[in-house]
Amino acid sequence: MKRPKVLSTLLVISLIAVLVAGCARTTTPAPAPAATVTVTAPAVTVTVTPSPTPTPTPSPKPTLTPTPTPTPTPSPTPTPTPTPTPTPKPSNPIAGKTVKIIVPFGAGGTFDIASRLVAPFLEKNLEAVTGADQTVVVENMAGAGGRTSYTYTWKLGADVPEIVLMSFSAIPMHVGMKTDYDLTKFNYLGRAVVYPLALLVRKDLQPIQTLEDMVLRSQVKPILIGTSGFGAAEHQYAELLSNILKDDLKVDLKFSYVHTTGAAAIAAALLRGDIEATFLSVTLSKTAVEQGSGRVVMLVSQKPSEFMPGMPLLPDVKMLTPAVAKKLEEVIFLKQFFVASPNMNPALVSAFRTALSKSLADPELIQKGKDVSLPISYLDGAADFQNTNDILATLEKYRAILVEMMK
């Protein structure tokens, strides 16, 4: 009864071989749940577990970048209309201060007349330059032939709005004497007036009609000349005339002097008979002739003046050579020019220069000058500074005369 057992064993082995062979031929089994085959035989139970089916590696899923949600563009904020900014007014370096024109001589002379003519025009134009109300006044400061006012102006501080109407006579002074100021260091603002001078004698001074008559009379008694002060313009002119005649023509014209406080005082002294002769501007000479107090011996010019036509000119004086006439015209004339302290604030200097340039070129002021025989003749500050230096160079040849005169 052993055979059934052997058969059962053989059957099991055959079945196993079949299963193994089937598994070997399967390369990629279809995915299915794992199967368990159980064979039951008497006394023997064989369990066959097939190899696990390999799990395929899944392909990576593509990464999706989310589309960004667009940021809404805000509506533009309307730009407010800007409020117009008012144009700033120019800074006013003289706010709240009274502007002053210093006259180096007494009241009534041509410097006083010129200053008072210019003052309202300067006031108007300073207001335009600074953008604020201004007040301009005139102050007479006579003394020492003008040096008192020049020294005063020289020492003024940076923000003091005061200027002086300087005379030509300051130029020979610079050559002939030591002063408390340096003429070449002032701030030059502009020339106001330039004109020739007249040599006058008292009308009742007989028999003097010409320069030759004056020379002859002076041999007996020196001609008494009136001046604005020791070293002032009239004093300088008389000495220059006398020395040029002596050096170039060997002619001896002798003078003595009476020093006063200004051109108006000289004219009054001539009218009273206190002096015999003087040098005056065409303005005061014309007045003296009209009043009957003076007579013009010569106008120190080679060209006639529109204010005094018909007066004897340098070429009319027989004793003068052309060379001597030219020399006299170079050193005997009058100019009035505005200067300020060398310490003055540059902004203030600029304001004065601008305002004066407008004032002195104003046709109304020029006409007012003509009405009183005062020739307004503007020259800017830089050009007038150069003109002053040119005159200084000319006067250097007369240094010895000027030094001797001003001792």
Side-chain angles (χ1 to χ4, degrees), residues 104-105 111 150 165-171 233 334-337:
F105 307 109
F111 283 79
Y150 307 152
L165 185 57
M166 188 172 274
S167 169
F168 170 88
S169 61
I171 305 174
L334 188 61
K335 77 166 181 170
Q336 303 175 5
F337 53 108

Side-chain angles (χ1 to χ4, degrees), residues 313-334:
L313 303 174
L314 288 170
D316 300 323
V317 180
K318 295 178 181 179
M319 67 184 300
L320 300 180
T321 65
V324 170
K326 184 176 185 298
K327 276 188 179 181
L328 293 175
E329 191 175 40
E330 287 179 342
V331 297
I332 300 178
F333 70 95
L334 188 61

Side-chain angles (χ1 to χ4, degrees), residues 59-218:
S59 300
K61 295 180 180 180
T63 302
L64 297 177
T65 303
T67 303
T69 303
T71 304
T73 304
S75 300
T77 304
T79 304
T81 303
T83 303
T85 303
T87 302
K89 293 182 178 180
S91 60
N92 183 3
I94 47 178
K97 299 177 181 178
T98 297
V99 176
K100 190 180 293 184
I101 297 176
I102 304 294
V103 180
F105 307 109
T110 54
F111 283 79
D112 185 63
I113 294 169
S115 296
R116 295 182 191 281
L117 281 179
V118 170
F121 290 87
L122 178 60
E123 185 173 276
K124 176 183 71 175
N125 287 300
L126 274 177
E127 288 177 354
V129 171
T130 63
D133 292 341
Q134 304 293 167
T135 301
V136 177
V137 300
V138 176
E139 179 180 324
N140 297 86
M141 191 180 292
R147 296 192 303 281
T148 298
S149 64
Y150 307 152
T151 301
Y152 169 83
T153 304
W154 173 262
K155 295 178 180 179
L156 292 175
D159 296 316
V160 179
E162 298 182 18
I163 61 177
V164 65
L165 185 57
M166 188 172 274
S167 169
F168 170 88
S169 61
I171 305 174
M173 284 179 188
H174 183 79
V175 176
M177 68 167 59
K178 181 180 173 66
T179 61
D180 294 327
Y181 52 85
D182 184 343
L183 182 66
T184 64
K185 296 296 193 298
F186 281 97
N187 277 304
Y188 282 67
L189 307 177
R191 186 186 71 192
V193 177
V194 63
Y195 46 73
L197 289 161
L199 174 60
L200 288 90
V201 296
R202 204 172 65 229
K203 188 175 182 179
D204 61 356
L205 192 63
Q206 298 298 339
I208 297 177
Q209 300 290 330
T210 65
L211 185 60
E212 290 85 354
D213 293 337
M214 289 185 73
V215 172
L216 290 173
R217 207 323 286 277
S218 74

Side-chain angles (χ1 to χ4, degrees), residues 282-305:
V282 290
T283 307
L284 295 180
S285 297
K286 184 177 180 181
T287 301
V289 169
E290 291 172 348
Q291 289 177 342
S293 62
R295 179 172 59 251
V296 175
V297 170
M298 68 175 181
L299 192 64
V300 189
S301 173
Q302 303 203 51
K303 297 179 180 179
S305 166

Side-chain angles (χ1 to χ4, degrees), residues 144-147 150 167-181 183 227 229-240 243 257 259 331 391-392 395-396 398-407:
R147 296 192 303 281
Y150 307 152
S167 169
F168 170 88
S169 61
I171 305 174
M173 284 179 188
H174 183 79
V175 176
M177 68 167 59
K178 181 180 173 66
T179 61
D180 294 327
Y181 52 85
L183 182 66
T227 82
F230 180 82
E234 303 81 12
H235 190 190
Q236 297 167 5
Y237 302 145
E239 285 296 307
L240 287 167
N243 281 275
Y257 300 98
H259 300 303
V331 297
I391 297 169
L392 283 171
L395 289 173
E396 273 299 320
Y398 305 108
R399 176 178 287 275
I401 296 171
L402 294 169
V403 170
E404 181 64 26
M405 180 194 77
M406 298 181 188
K407 282 182 178 179

Side-chain angles (χ1 to χ4, degrees), residues 216-229:
L216 290 173
R217 207 323 286 277
S218 74
Q219 307 309 305
V220 179
K221 181 182 178 182
I223 304 294
L224 190 60
I225 293 281
T227 82
S228 298

